[in-house]
Every structure is written in structure tokens, then in C-alpha cells.
Amino acid sequence: MRYRTVASYAPAAAALLVLAMPTGTAQAATGTFFYHEQPGDLERSLTNPADNTCFNLGNGGGRISNQTNRVANVYFQSNCSGGIFGFFNPGDNGTLPEYHSVRFTEFPP
């Protein structure tokens, strides 16, 4: 009777392990984030936005409706700088006088 050594199975075991590991793909919110751009109070939206990515909103101001499954962290300045002006949990609606960028996260700040 022949016995194979463990070393002969190592490459196959490593290949199976790589296939079984989850991929590092980015997560995304599911749903739509609605906001308004000024002047003109034009409704805009972001659908299924990626997590932890900053989205510039132009001259945002007015109503916001977060119909995603993530928290929307709304910033006073562009490029998600200048501190969070407000955050909207999934399903929240509200109004902010001015905002310029948003980032979606799984949890509030």
C-alpha cells in the first residue's frame, strides 16, 4: 500500500482555499439617495452608491431623502471635508440649508 505525503496535497489544498475565500469587492448601498441642487431646487439622485466613497453634490440645499440601506453622512464642504453637517439613517427625510458632499457608511459617525 502506498501512502502519499501531505506535501503532495498542499498545492491542491491551497487552490481550494483561495477559491473558498471571499473576494475583496467593495460594498454598495442598496437604494436611492435623493437631494436637491440650487439654484432651481432641482431633484438629483444617487442609486446604489458605493460605501466609503465621497460623492460631490454641487450646490446642494434643501430636502434630502435617504432611501438606501446605509447611513448618509452629509458634509458642508466638497470632497467630504469640513466635518459632517448632518447624517441621515436609512429611510430618513429632512432638510439642510446647504450641503456639498455625501459619504455612505454602514454605521453612523
Side-chain angles (χ1 to χ4, degrees):
M1 181 176 219
R2 289 179 55 192
Y3 293 99
R4 292 185 185 217
T5 63
V6 173
S8 65
Y9 291 108
L16 286 174
L17 183 61
V18 167
L19 291 175
M21 297 295 286
T23 60
T25 58
Q27 297 293 316
T30 301
T32 304
F33 175 80
F34 298 94
Y35 65 98
H36 286 78
E37 192 171 359
Q38 304 303 328
D41 199 34
L42 304 170
E43 184 174 79
R44 305 284 191 214
S45 64
L46 298 170
T47 301
N48 300 331
D51 283 357
N52 299 310
T53 300
C54 184
F55 295 92
N56 287 316
L57 305 177
N59 291 321
R63 295 174 305 215
I64 290 175
S65 180
N66 182 17
Q67 300 306 310
T68 72
N69 64 341
R70 297 289 194 259
V71 175
N73 301 294
V74 180
Y75 292 80
F76 184 69
Q77 296 179 0
S78 296
N79 302 315
C80 297
S81 62
I84 296 173
F85 193 42
F87 68 91
F88 293 79
N89 288 314
D92 280 356
N93 300 298
T95 302
L96 292 174
E98 184 179 350
Y99 45 86
H100 297 281
S101 55
V102 64
R103 182 186 317 266
F104 297 87
T105 58
E106 194 169 351
F107 303 103

